[in-house]
Amino acid sequence: MTDRSHRRTLLLFGTLAVYIVLQFIWWGVLLLRKDRELELLSMELQALGGTSADLPAQPAHKVLMVVGEGSVFLLLLLTVLFFTLRAIRRDLALARAQRNFLLAVTHELRTPIAAIKLQLQTLARPELDAAQRDALREQALTESDRLALLTDKVLLATRADEGVIALEQKDQDVMDLVRSVVDRARTQVASAHSLVLNGPDHLIVNTDAQALRSIADNLIENAAKYAPAGTAITVDVVKGREGWRLTVSDEGPGVPVTEKDRVFERFYRGGTEETRSVTGTGLGLYIVQRLVQRLGGAVHLRTRVPHGAIFAASFPNR
């Protein structure tokens, strides 16, 4: 559903809501008028010496009763309209996010598929030497890994949303795990950045190796997407008395204050797929939050001074 359709839907609902409220007020006014007319007619009959026995009694508190009951009904009506509007806005936002996700994932899939096809077509040329063939095969494998990572990300996000993430926690050396992620990122997602890893030589904790790799992968990839090429991305592993912390800092533009509470939402990305220049699916930070919580920790976003963002995932000792 396009933004124009969203606006049309909200305008239609708003028009209908205003019409219902105005009609309710109008019928309330008409009812009070009819009550007043009956009261005047009764007074005229009495003044003429007739009888008003066949007319309903008009006690003085009738107006207050009508206004009071009408106000309660109007309040209930406005409450229902408010929650209905909120549900519509939520559904429209989800539909917009899903549409952006489909556009993004289509682009993300098309790029490596096109690259693999080109490399395979080039490999068919008989004039290539062994070194060129090896380079093309290596590039094709890299693009295949990219496809596999994207598929794993979508599947993991689905499992996270359904709450069925299976973990296999045991003693792991965090530094070995994070170091392997950083080394791979230097040649793939963050090849245009200076990637720095700080931490102790070894840190043994009870955790799930695959979940921790995915957390570090997504945080580094997110930093590399938004930080300018040539800037530094710093990964810190810090041991504390009550747990340990993994932080990823970048020198990018940072996250606007209005978006800080939404960056961990599924499918959420600033802007629209037609206007934003940074590719992505809007699943990375959502996966990070769900995995960190599944491991008993919490993830927070801070502003880096003078500019940039710091994502910090804190974990308890097990």
Side-chain angles (χ1 to χ4, degrees):
M1 187 178 290
T2 64
D3 290 339
R4 181 177 298 178
S5 299
H6 293 170
R7 288 193 294 269
R8 190 185 303 120
T9 301
L10 291 175
L11 179 61
L12 179 62
F13 177 82
T15 302
L16 180 61
V18 171
Y19 174 79
I20 292 173
V21 172
L22 290 179
Q23 282 293 315
F24 176 81
I25 295 174
W26 174 242
W27 282 107
V29 171
L30 288 180
L31 179 61
L32 291 176
R33 283 182 179 177
K34 291 298 180 182
D35 286 343
R36 182 59 180 167
E37 289 175 2
L38 287 174
E39 185 178 356
L40 292 176
L41 180 58
S42 175
M43 294 173 61
E44 289 176 1
L45 288 174
Q46 291 178 358
L48 293 173
T51 176
S52 61
D54 296 331
L55 295 176
Q58 301 294 325
H61 65 274
K62 186 62 176 291
V63 172
L64 294 178
M65 182 183 70
V66 172
V67 172
E69 292 182 356
S71 299
V72 172
F73 182 81
L74 180 61
L75 179 61
L76 292 174
L77 177 63
L78 291 175
T79 302
V80 171
L81 290 175
F82 170 76
F83 284 107
T84 303
L85 176 61
R86 192 166 70 171
I88 291 174
R89 291 173 64 91
R90 183 172 59 250
D91 290 342
L92 290 177
L94 180 59
R96 184 187 299 112
Q98 290 175 335
R99 173 177 173 271
N100 288 341
F101 167 74
L102 290 175
L103 291 173
V105 79
T106 301
H107 175 76
E108 292 280 318
L109 289 171
R110 183 185 294 125
T111 302
I113 289 174
I116 292 173
K117 181 178 179 180
L118 177 62
Q119 288 148 5
L120 291 175
Q121 291 173 338
T122 307
L123 277 171
R125 296 179 180 177
E127 67 272 15
L128 295 178
D129 58 31
Q132 290 173 321
R133 291 180 182 276
D134 289 341
L136 286 170
R137 276 194 292 267
E138 188 65 30
Q139 292 171 10
L141 287 173
T142 300
E143 295 298 336
S144 298
D145 290 339
R146 182 177 172 184
L147 275 175
L149 287 174
L150 178 59
T151 304
D152 290 342
K153 182 179 291 187
V154 174
L155 291 175
L156 186 56
T158 302
R159 292 177 184 146
D161 189 52
E162 295 175 352
V164 292
I165 301 178
L167 298 180
E168 185 180 348
Q169 294 185 240
K170 58 183 179 179
D171 287 346
Q172 307 277 356
D173 190 334
V174 169
M175 292 307 301
D176 282 347
L177 294 174
V178 176
R179 195 176 291 114
S180 67
V181 172
V182 170
D183 289 342
R184 184 172 65 250
R186 285 193 176 108
T187 61
Q188 295 183 12
V189 296
S191 58
H193 298 79
S194 173
L195 201 52
V196 180
L197 173 61
N198 300 317
D201 292 334
H202 299 281
L203 177 58
I204 306 298
V205 300
N206 187 271
T207 188
D208 180 272
Q210 187 56 42
L212 186 57
R213 287 194 192 95
S214 183
I215 291 169
D217 259 328
N218 282 294
L219 288 178
I220 294 173
E221 181 182 1
N222 181 75
K225 283 179 180 178
Y226 294 97
T231 58
I233 297 175
T234 305
V235 181
D236 293 290
V237 177
V238 181
K239 170 66 175 172
R241 266 186 297 182
E242 299 181 356
W244 64 282
R245 184 173 67 253
L246 170 68
T247 64
V248 176
S249 311
D250 64 64
E251 298 177 2
V255 179
V257 176
T258 54
E259 297 184 15
K260 282 188 174 182
D261 294 334
R262 302 197 61 192
V263 293
F264 295 105
E265 293 180 9
R266 185 177 54 149
F267 302 140
Y268 182 78
R269 302 181 67 225
T272 65
E273 293 301 325
E274 293 87 349
T275 59
R276 69 168 62 89
S277 58
V278 178
T279 60
T281 59
L283 294 177
L285 294 178
Y286 170 77
I287 290 172
V288 167
Q289 185 187 55
R290 288 304 182 97
L291 289 177
V292 171
Q293 291 175 344
R294 189 73 174 80
L295 292 171
V299 60
H300 302 283
L301 167 62
R302 304 197 305 268
T303 300
R304 182 181 180 275
V305 179
H307 53 80
I310 302 175
F311 286 88
S314 303
F315 303 89
N317 285 326
R318 293 283 186 174

